[in-house]
Amino acid sequence: MAGDKKHALITGSSRGIGRGIALALAEGGIKIAVHYYQNERAAKDTLEQVRERGGDGFLVQADVTQLDQINEMFRKVKSAFGKLDISSVMHGRRPLRFSKRH
C-alpha cells in the first residue's frame, strides 16, 4: 500500500520522454505506474529498467483519449498504490479533450 514511498503515474512511459521521466523518478525509489496504449513489450522493458534503478511499479494499459479508460486507469492506480503523488501526461496521441465536468 501507500506507506511513505512516493507514487507516480506517467502516461506514455513505454517509450520516449515518458520513459525518461519514469526512469529518472525510479532512481529516487519512486513506484511507477507505467502506462502504455499498444506497445506492451516496450512497457515491460520500461518496468524492468525502473526496477533496475531501484524503483518498482506495474503496467497499466489505456487509451487516454477515452474517458472510461482514463477513469479505469486511475482506479487501478488507486487500488495498487493507495495514493498518487506525481502524474505526467506524456503520450504521442492526439490532444486530450476534457468534458465540461473536468
Side-chain angles (χ1 to χ4, degrees), residues 8-76:
L9 166 63
I10 313 299
T11 65
S13 52
S14 64
R15 299 177 299 185
I17 295 170
R19 175 183 275 185
I21 292 169
L23 297 180
L25 291 173
E27 290 179 4
I30 293 173
K31 293 186 176 185
I32 312 288
V34 176
H35 163 264
Y36 69 99
Y37 173 51
Q38 293 179 314
N39 195 338
E40 184 177 13
R41 183 175 176 177
K44 285 179 178 180
D45 183 57
T46 299
L47 183 57
E48 182 179 320
Q49 290 183 48
V50 162
R51 290 178 173 150
E52 288 171 359
R53 287 167 171 75
D56 199 3
F58 73 102
L59 302 180
V60 60
Q61 189 281 330
D63 178 346
V64 296
T65 67
Q66 301 299 313
L67 184 58
D68 61 327
Q69 291 188 37
I70 294 168
N71 289 334
E72 180 64 12
M73 176 175 62
F74 277 98
R75 187 198 64 73
K76 289 176 181 177

Side-chain angles (χ1 to χ4, degrees), residues 58-102:
F58 73 102
L59 302 180
V60 60
Q61 189 281 330
D63 178 346
V64 296
T65 67
Q66 301 299 313
L67 184 58
D68 61 327
Q69 291 188 37
I70 294 168
N71 289 334
E72 180 64 12
M73 176 175 62
F74 277 98
R75 187 198 64 73
K76 289 176 181 177
V77 169
K78 182 177 181 182
S79 176
F81 291 160
K83 67 174 186 168
L84 183 61
D85 302 294
I86 303 163
S87 65
S88 177
V89 179
M90 301 300 298
H91 59 84
R93 308 261 306 153
R94 62 184 173 230
L96 294 177
R97 303 272 188 236
F98 293 99
S99 66
K100 289 186 179 184
R101 68 178 224 191
H102 292 96

